[in-house]
Amino acid sequence: MTDESREGIPPVVAEAIDAANAHDTERFMDTFAPTGSVDDWGRVFTGREAIRGWSDGEFIGSAVTLDDLQFSAVPDGVAVTALVGGDGFNGPSTFTFLVGSAGIERMTITA
């Protein structure tokens, strides 16, 4: 992402995207609140241990890339439309990030 595209984006969301593209699991995990969750097309993983297991198997562990990013504000966060690449799912997805004071509270992945 360019610095210009980050305007209005919660820094923790930009960090999560950068960490995913760098395949840096520790940085990615550090963006989540301790009770945060990932909703991957209806499958919910709550807490850092569950998120790490999901990511190791299906996200960063599958060499994910997030390109062609478009951002739109949502209450308490941001929706990011991305072209997903890597060794798993490939295609467009929307990642909706809800952000609290402790980090990402929920990342929901949909079409």
Side-chain angles (χ1 to χ4, degrees):
M1 289 186 293
T2 66
D3 287 336
E4 293 80 25
S5 69
R6 293 175 189 251
E7 186 175 327
I9 305 308
V12 71
V13 172
E15 179 67 11
I17 292 167
D18 289 347
N21 279 331
H23 307 131
D24 187 335
T25 300
E26 293 308 315
R27 270 178 60 205
F28 180 71
M29 294 306 305
D30 286 344
T31 65
F32 282 88
T35 58
S37 64
V38 169
D39 178 340
D40 183 5
W41 296 71
R43 298 177 304 134
V44 179
F45 305 88
T46 301
R48 292 187 181 196
E49 185 176 325
I51 294 169
R52 180 184 299 276
W54 164 80
S55 178
D56 287 349
E58 302 181 44
F59 197 60
I60 292 176
S62 292
V64 72
T65 58
L66 304 173
D67 294 308
D68 299 327
L69 306 173
Q70 297 179 358
F71 303 89
S72 58
V74 298
D76 298 322
V78 63
V80 181
T81 302
L83 182 59
V84 180
D87 298 331
F89 172 83
N90 285 263
S93 285
T94 299
F95 297 77
T96 302
F97 294 90
L98 301 181
V99 178
S101 61
I104 295 169
E105 296 289 343
R106 188 170 186 93
M107 179 178 87
T108 302
I109 307 168
T110 58

